[in-house]
Amino acid sequence: MRVTQLSLFVENRRGAVRTAIDVIAKAGVDVASLSLADTSEFGILRLVVRDPARARTALEGAGVVVNEAEVMALEVDDRAGGLAEALAAVDQAGLEIEYLYAFPTLRPSGRAVLLVRFADEAQAREALVAAGLTPLSAEELFERR
Amino acid sequence: MKTGWNDPAGGFHPASAPDYLPPKRLREVQLQRLRAVVARAYERVELFRSRMDRLGVEPHDVRALEDLARLPFTVKTDLRDTYPFGLFASPMEEVVRLHASSGTTGKPIVVAYTQSDLAVWTEVMVRTFVACGIHRGDVLQNAYGYGLFTGGLGAHQGAEALGATVIPISGGNTERQLMVLQDFGVTAICCTPSYFLHLLERAREAKVPLGKLRVGVFGAEPWSDAMRRHIQAESGIRAHDIYGLSEITGPGVGAECEAQDGLHIFEDHFFPEIVDPETGAPLPEGEEGELVLTTLSKQAMPMIRYRTRDVTRILPGPCACGRTVRRIERIGRRSDDMFVLRGVNVFPSQVETALLQVEGALPHYAIVLTREKGLDEMEVKVEVTREVFSDSVRALEALHARLARAIEQVVGLRVKVTLVEPRTLARSEGKAKRVQDLRSL
């Protein structure tokens, strides 16, 4: 039920994201989704890739600082109000979101996928299952592509 | 050039007489004073006595000025290790003033003055101002900091003794500085060169004319000839470099005269040597090396062969101004990696202490010094390591704030901290070059 996300420290300067992505490309790893958190001083590049272990080895070999975090992949209905309903359920379960971003699905299923980082992961999983929002496993997630 | 410089009436200030002693007579005075100060240090200060004993030298072995080279050096950490009063050669009943300056760690360095030490300090500051062309009738705005720092009070007592009108405004509050400069008819100013540049900038922005200002006495941080040309061209004043350090007396160790060709050392009180910074061996006159100073008349806290870590050389030949005391070239760099920022001594080791405190291990870092709008800025670039990197922006921002706070605490100045990617800071073989000084104008 978990999806591994790689977080990379990037400086706030031209070409910083590209350098990291180039390393992953050379390692032959497919990037499935990403999000960039930026502050005035630095950025954190968050990536979900096909083969996180391989990408991580390549990145660290190139001197990039990498952190692994677990994010939850939640399916929501791809229609007006679908996201609002899912977030209402999260809110009612008393869960706190650290950040979220979208996972692009290529196969038509009528369902969209959100990648969510919760403040308390264990509590979140339990509450989500109870609310009928069971997170996807990594295998299930990549089937959507 | 000389006529009319030192006094409105073209007179000569008697305090400056030693500046013109015939060299032979000057050497006699120096030797006599050196013998006395070495004897005093040996008799009264444990550190000097034990070091001389270890080398098998006794005070009476000093028979000529050349014998100074047989004596042990004193270094900045000696003052720290004997904190606070371990190097005092006078009982507290005779000490009338204490000052303190930043040291390599949290503890400052304490320096002491007897009544007679204050008189000498005042005298060399009078000689400093006279060399800079300041005289009775001048209105001097003293924008050096007053307090534990020797700059403010040192300049104050010298200017008063000279007979100038002193405005003890101290540092900071630029608006008020400019108001006073104009309204009080200020003709001379004392401050750091970078602060004066800042004043100039603000005066231009506010369209405030500099009025009667004629001379600037700038010290407490390194600056260049290019910066002097810039200041002089922009402001129309004469900008003089002065030199001093608390361990020796404070400001007043040396000053530029009207020739602006090196700084005259008031060597009847402070004996200069130039040594090889690596081996400590004395270097021939004219060669560049580390400046070592011995106080010849200090009572409360004599310094024998104090390693200043400032790199310079003794300029050969006589000066156009007629003074016979020798000159050093203006100081451009140091033999260790200490640097001076807004009048505060900063050691990279202080920054290291702070980084260690926060991160538990020492990350790669670099210090970049810049000068913007006349104000010196310090940036510490810190490489982010796996150990401290977090996926959370909040956690990284907290780390960033903790680093900045810790560095500010040990250094005593506001600094900019930038987190950078690993392996982006230059590595050098052997001794790492931590400080990048981009301040020259």
Side-chain angles (χ1 to χ4, degrees):
Chain A
M1 294 208 302
R2 298 170 170 202
V3 174
T4 299
Q5 168 199 266
L6 300 180
S7 305
L8 279 51
F9 177 83
V10 285
E11 274 174 46
N12 215 341
R13 62 169 163 80
R14 191 174 155 174
V17 172
R18 189 196 158 180
T19 312
I21 295 294
D22 274 352
V23 174
I24 301 173
K26 284 205 186 89
V29 178
D30 177 25
V31 176
S33 178
L34 84 173
S35 141
L36 179 64
D38 72 309
T39 72
S40 57
E41 302 286 337
F42 57 85
I44 299 176
L45 181 63
R46 299 178 175 125
L47 302 160
V48 171
V49 301
R50 283 265 182 199
D51 189 343
R54 191 187 171 101
R56 180 174 185 158
T57 309
L59 286 165
E60 287 182 341
V64 180
V65 176
V66 184
N67 206 324
E68 270 183 28
E70 302 303 330
V71 290
M72 306 256 179
L74 300 184
E75 271 194 313
V76 301
D77 286 341
D78 192 4
R79 58 170 168 79
L83 177 58
E85 280 164 26
L87 291 179
V90 165
D91 195 25
Q92 269 154 29
L95 299 178
E96 202 180 319
I97 294 173
E98 291 263 314
Y99 53 81
L100 62 81
Y101 52 103
F103 183 88
T105 50
L106 304 179
R107 307 234 169 96
S109 66
R111 304 275 275 166
V113 178
L114 282 184
L115 298 169
V116 189
R117 169 80 178 174
F118 289 100
D120 185 333
E121 208 197 326
Q123 179 209 4
R125 191 172 309 116
E126 236 171 75
L128 290 170
V129 172
L133 279 170
T134 307
L136 301 175
S137 67
E139 293 74 34
E140 288 169 322
L141 176 68
F142 282 103
E143 276 168 19
R144 303 296 191 276
R145 277 178 60 88
Chain B
M1 204 174 192
K2 255 192 289 180
T3 320
W5 189 264
N6 287 347
D7 195 274
F12 165 86
H13 199 288
S16 291
D19 293 353
Y20 301 90
L21 278 177
K24 190 168 167 285
R25 176 74 194 121
L26 178 59
R27 302 287 166 249
E28 284 166 14
V29 170
Q30 285 172 327
L31 179 59
Q32 190 189 1
R33 289 183 177 170
L34 176 66
R35 293 174 59 115
V37 80
V38 170
R40 182 182 181 90
Y42 185 85
E43 282 157 23
R44 302 191 178 206
V45 183
E46 165 60 27
L47 180 124
F48 293 127
R49 182 170 52 248
S50 60
R51 283 201 185 153
M52 285 173 62
D53 284 348
R54 216 171 310 140
L55 292 178
V57 208
E58 285 182 38
H60 63 77
D61 291 329
V62 178
R63 292 194 188 88
L65 287 170
E66 293 69 44
D67 293 329
L68 191 53
R70 300 176 57 188
L71 300 179
F73 289 118
T74 311
V75 294
K76 192 165 193 135
T77 49
D78 291 333
L79 282 94
R80 187 196 65 196
D81 296 344
T82 55
Y83 173 88
F85 306 148
L87 294 185
F88 287 14
S90 295
M92 211 44 114
E93 304 85 74
E94 288 168 22
V95 171
V96 296
R97 175 91 65 82
L98 297 175
H99 277 283
S101 75
S102 62
T104 44
T105 58
K107 293 284 188 194
I109 274 169
V110 182
V111 292
Y113 306 79
T114 62
Q115 213 54 270
S116 123
D117 292 335
L118 284 188
V120 169
W121 190 13
T122 301
E123 175 205 313
V124 289
M125 279 312 291
V126 169
R127 290 160 68 180
T128 295
F129 287 128
V130 169
C132 297
I134 296 171
H135 44 69
R136 200 160 34 85
D138 268 318
V139 180
L140 180 93
Q141 182 160 343
N142 185 13
Y144 281 127
Y146 280 67
L148 284 178
F149 174 54
T150 48
L153 280 165
H156 182 104
Q157 66 215 24
E160 267 188 6
L162 174 71
T165 310
V166 187
I167 307 167
I169 193 164
S170 197
N173 199 340
T174 306
E175 304 312 316
R176 192 180 57 181
Q177 299 272 2
L178 288 176
M179 183 193 77
V180 165
L181 186 76
Q182 255 199 316
D183 296 352
F184 293 11
V186 168
T187 57
I189 189 166
C190 287
C191 58
T192 60
S194 59
Y195 189 66
F196 185 72
L197 274 181
H198 179 64
L199 277 179
L200 263 186
E201 189 111 345
R202 294 286 284 275
R204 201 179 318 125
E205 280 165 16
K207 301 202 163 52
V208 176
L210 295 177
K212 296 179 174 168
L213 191 64
R214 192 186 81 244
V215 191
V217 179
F218 302 132
E221 66 187 19
W223 54 306
S224 61
D225 264 325
M227 189 162 160
R228 186 220 308 279
R229 283 194 294 276
H230 174 79
I231 288 177
Q232 294 193 155
E234 286 283 306
S235 64
I237 70 165
R238 297 271 293 181
H240 289 260
D241 190 11
I242 62 168
Y243 178 71
L245 56 168
S246 301
E247 299 90 315
I248 297 302
T249 193
V253 175
E256 281 181 339
C257 62
E258 64 265 33
Q260 293 183 327
D261 183 20
L263 291 87
H264 289 281
I265 296 291
F266 301 118
E267 60 172 320
D268 49 324
H269 294 301
F270 316 111
F271 190 85
E273 294 172 272
I274 301 291
V275 304
D276 182 322
E278 301 294 324
T279 64
L283 294 173
E285 191 155 310
E287 259 183 58
E288 191 184 76
E290 181 181 334
L291 177 65
V292 171
L293 290 168
T294 298
T295 61
L296 296 179
S297 45
K298 257 293 192 72
Q299 291 191 333
M301 207 165 150
M303 277 293 144
I304 307 295
R305 304 194 84 202
Y306 184 73
R307 304 277 301 247
T308 66
R309 302 290 172 190
D310 288 318
V311 173
T312 182
R313 64 194 184 99
I314 290 178
L315 295 173
C319 180
C321 76
R323 282 179 181 75
T324 52
V325 286
R326 286 174 293 175
R327 294 165 298 154
I328 56 166
E329 203 167 55
R330 64 191 298 147
I331 285 152
R333 64 188 179 89
R334 292 185 47 89
S335 67
D336 62 5
D337 41 12
M338 189 197 91
F339 54 90
V340 184
L341 194 80
R342 292 184 229 156
V344 175
N345 293 347
V346 183
F347 292 85
S349 58
Q350 292 176 303
V351 173
E352 282 180 18
T353 309
L355 294 175
L356 260 169
Q357 244 172 41
V358 174
E359 298 200 8
L362 188 64
H364 268 280
Y365 72 95
I367 296 168
V368 184
L369 305 177
T370 52
R371 184 165 281 166
E372 277 161 47
K373 292 188 175 164
L375 276 185
D376 285 1
E377 302 290 343
M378 167 175 168
E379 179 187 9
V380 181
K381 293 182 169 181
V382 184
E383 285 190 2
V384 170
T385 60
R386 209 170 136 177
E387 287 68 35
V388 297
F389 176 55
S390 160
D391 169 49
S392 149
V393 170
R394 222 181 313 153
L396 273 188
E397 283 181 337
L399 170 74
H400 181 257
R402 275 206 310 279
L403 287 170
R405 213 177 315 122
I407 296 171
E408 278 168 30
Q409 253 163 29
V410 299
V411 171
L413 287 170
R414 266 202 88 71
V415 294
K416 178 181 185 220
V417 173
T418 308
L419 298 175
V420 300
E421 290 168 14
R423 301 192 201 173
T424 51
L425 300 177
R427 308 288 199 264
S428 58
E429 281 137 48
K431 204 175 158 210
K433 178 118 178 58
R434 299 293 198 186
V435 185
Q436 232 187 315
D437 197 339
L438 309 174
R439 288 183 293 182
S440 51
L441 258 176

